[in-house]
Amino acid sequence: MDELRLRILTDGKNLGNGILKVDGFINHQVDPRLMDACGRALADRFGPLGATKVLTAEISGIAPALTTAFHLGVPVVYARKTKPITMPDQIYLTLAPSHTKGRTVELIVSPEYLGQDERVLIIDDFLASGQTILGLVRLAQAAGATVVGVGALIEKSFEGGRTLLASLGVPIESLAVISDMSEGRIVFAA
Amino acid sequence: MDELRLRILTDGKNLGNGILKVDGFINHQVDPRLMDACGRALADRFGPLGATKVLTAEISGIAPALTTAFHLGVPVVYARKTKPITMPDQIYLTLAPSHTKGRTVELIVSPEYLGQDERVLIIDDFLASGQTILGLVRLAQAAGATVVGVGALIEKSFEGGRTLLASLGVPIESLAVISDMSEGRIVFAA
């Protein structure tokens, strides 16, 4: 998606060690028009799959998942990282190693909002190592739901997430694929 | 706003102790169409104030703040509760007691995205004790920015937040005002 790639080049920052700073338009400050356009683009790509629900992880997945769900006309569920007091005692919980946080985080979904008849589209801001998305896949599977696709705003293809998720056999779509961040570069895949 | 009040009555749950569960359409599962309508309603009310930025707190403020910012055509910044590695060392940080979490949380904003020329509209899911919103006010003031308004989806008027924020002298708008949650009731203010 040209608009997102252009924004990454103008406002994104390669901090080294594979860390892409997009705090100016995705992760801390959010550009709502861009996020809406990204959600529309993802909804266009996944529309034919008949998703009944979008699933993401708090925090930075919420914005793109919300706009994608809006354009698909389905609800979005964001997995919590701590169990709120409003959640029942019986929950789906999985652990996912977080590369950027340097530790393992919990991903928690209430069975109230993820059922076995659901067709789940997983959306996140980044597809990097794929570990967070794989955690969301486990939550969906625990609920007996069917994962129908995986979408991300930005993919760092050199971190191997797509390979990890390939065995799911579902479409994986990223709006901007970065193939190289070595030596300060931000190179998009052709 | 009738649509939100109706949804609270049909899908919300009074858990006692003033806790309103809205996990089915705001706080865990989100209804994107409702959130868009709420954002439009808040943008309509605050439009004339000339806000240049919407400020909220992660996590549950993100959805309503994003849709409000979308309809105002301005960026949204969500205060982080932990400092990500992409943030500079010099930050604005304040502490806010969280009623529902039973502890104090940090609210952190990067000076990169909150400047002294900004006209800030604060949006959150709940206006209850007002402590989180007051924390956001302190962050805006630390940046030298001007707070021009405060908006929430749901106000629990019996928790006194509006009184706490009155000295700001800015418009405070809530789309649904609940005046009584005693004995399992959910009563809206007239």
Side-chain angles (χ1 to χ4, degrees):
Chain A
M1 187 202 182
D2 290 345
E3 190 181 349
L4 179 61
R5 279 191 293 263
L6 184 63
R7 192 63 176 271
I8 292 168
L9 289 178
T10 52
D11 289 351
K13 210 166 183 177
N14 182 343
L15 298 183
N17 295 315
I19 298 168
L20 180 68
K21 173 172 171 165
V22 289
D23 288 6
F25 52 107
I26 297 177
N27 283 161
H28 180 29
Q29 178 168 265
V30 182
D31 178 338
R33 305 263 165 181
L34 175 66
M35 215 46 58
D36 181 67
C38 289
R40 188 186 299 269
L42 287 168
D44 282 350
R45 296 191 190 194
F46 289 110
L49 298 181
T52 61
K53 196 156 283 186
V54 171
L55 178 65
T56 190
E58 68 181 27
I59 300 159
S60 51
I62 295 176
L66 181 71
T67 56
T68 303
F70 176 80
H71 288 289
L72 286 173
V74 301
V76 52
V77 170
Y78 54 92
R80 311 295 312 245
K81 288 176 183 167
T82 53
K83 181 177 171 297
I85 50 176
T86 50
M87 204 178 267
D89 291 334
Q90 291 285 352
I91 53 173
Y92 300 122
L93 184 152
T94 192
L95 298 174
S98 170
H99 184 58
T100 41
K101 289 208 174 61
R103 59 181 172 85
T104 295
V105 299
E106 295 185 342
L107 296 174
I108 302 167
V109 167
S110 168
E112 298 164 291
Y113 310 116
L114 202 55
Q116 59 180 24
D117 51 342
E118 301 276 11
R119 295 175 60 80
V120 174
L121 171 63
I122 295 174
I123 297 288
D124 207 354
D125 56 341
F126 277 96
L127 168 55
S129 71
Q131 291 294 345
T132 301
I133 289 171
L134 199 60
L136 294 171
V137 169
R138 286 193 298 271
L139 291 175
Q141 289 171 340
T146 306
V147 175
V148 298
V150 172
L153 299 179
I154 303 171
E155 177 175 348
K156 296 191 280 187
S157 62
F158 52 91
E159 292 196 21
R162 185 176 286 265
T163 306
L164 185 72
L165 300 172
S167 65
L168 294 174
V170 300
I172 301 172
E173 297 275 354
S174 307
L175 297 182
V177 180
I178 298 175
S179 57
D180 182 9
M181 286 181 63
S182 62
E183 293 167 23
R185 283 188 290 256
I186 299 177
V187 180
F188 293 107
Chain B
M1 188 202 183
D2 290 345
E3 189 181 347
L4 179 60
R5 278 191 294 263
L6 184 64
R7 192 63 176 271
I8 292 167
L9 290 178
T10 51
D11 289 350
K13 211 166 183 179
N14 183 342
L15 298 184
N17 296 314
I19 297 167
L20 181 67
K21 174 172 171 165
V22 289
D23 288 6
F25 51 107
I26 297 177
N27 284 162
H28 180 31
Q29 178 168 264
V30 182
D31 177 338
R33 305 264 166 180
L34 175 67
M35 215 46 57
D36 181 67
C38 289
R40 187 187 299 266
L42 287 168
D44 282 349
R45 297 191 189 193
F46 290 110
L49 299 179
T52 60
K53 197 157 282 186
V54 171
L55 179 64
T56 191
E58 67 180 31
I59 300 161
S60 51
I62 296 176
L66 180 71
T67 56
T68 303
F70 176 79
H71 288 290
L72 286 172
V74 301
V76 53
V77 170
Y78 55 92
R80 310 297 311 246
K81 289 177 182 166
T82 53
K83 182 178 171 295
I85 51 176
T86 50
M87 206 178 266
D89 291 334
Q90 292 285 352
I91 54 173
Y92 300 121
L93 183 151
T94 192
L95 298 175
S98 171
H99 185 58
T100 40
K101 289 207 173 61
R103 58 181 174 85
T104 295
V105 299
E106 294 186 342
L107 296 174
I108 302 167
V109 166
S110 169
E112 299 164 290
Y113 310 116
L114 201 56
Q116 59 181 23
D117 51 341
E118 301 277 10
R119 295 176 59 79
V120 174
L121 171 62
I122 295 175
I123 297 288
D124 209 355
D125 56 340
F126 277 96
L127 168 54
S129 72
Q131 291 293 347
T132 302
I133 289 171
L134 200 61
L136 294 172
V137 169
R138 287 194 297 272
L139 291 175
Q141 288 172 341
T146 306
V147 175
V148 298
V150 172
L153 298 179
I154 303 172
E155 177 175 348
K156 295 191 281 187
S157 63
F158 53 91
E159 292 197 22
R162 185 176 285 264
T163 307
L164 184 73
L165 300 172
S167 65
L168 295 173
V170 301
I172 300 171
E173 297 274 356
S174 308
L175 298 182
V177 180
I178 298 174
S179 58
D180 183 9
M181 287 181 62
S182 63
E183 293 167 23
R185 283 188 290 257
I186 299 177
V187 180
F188 293 107

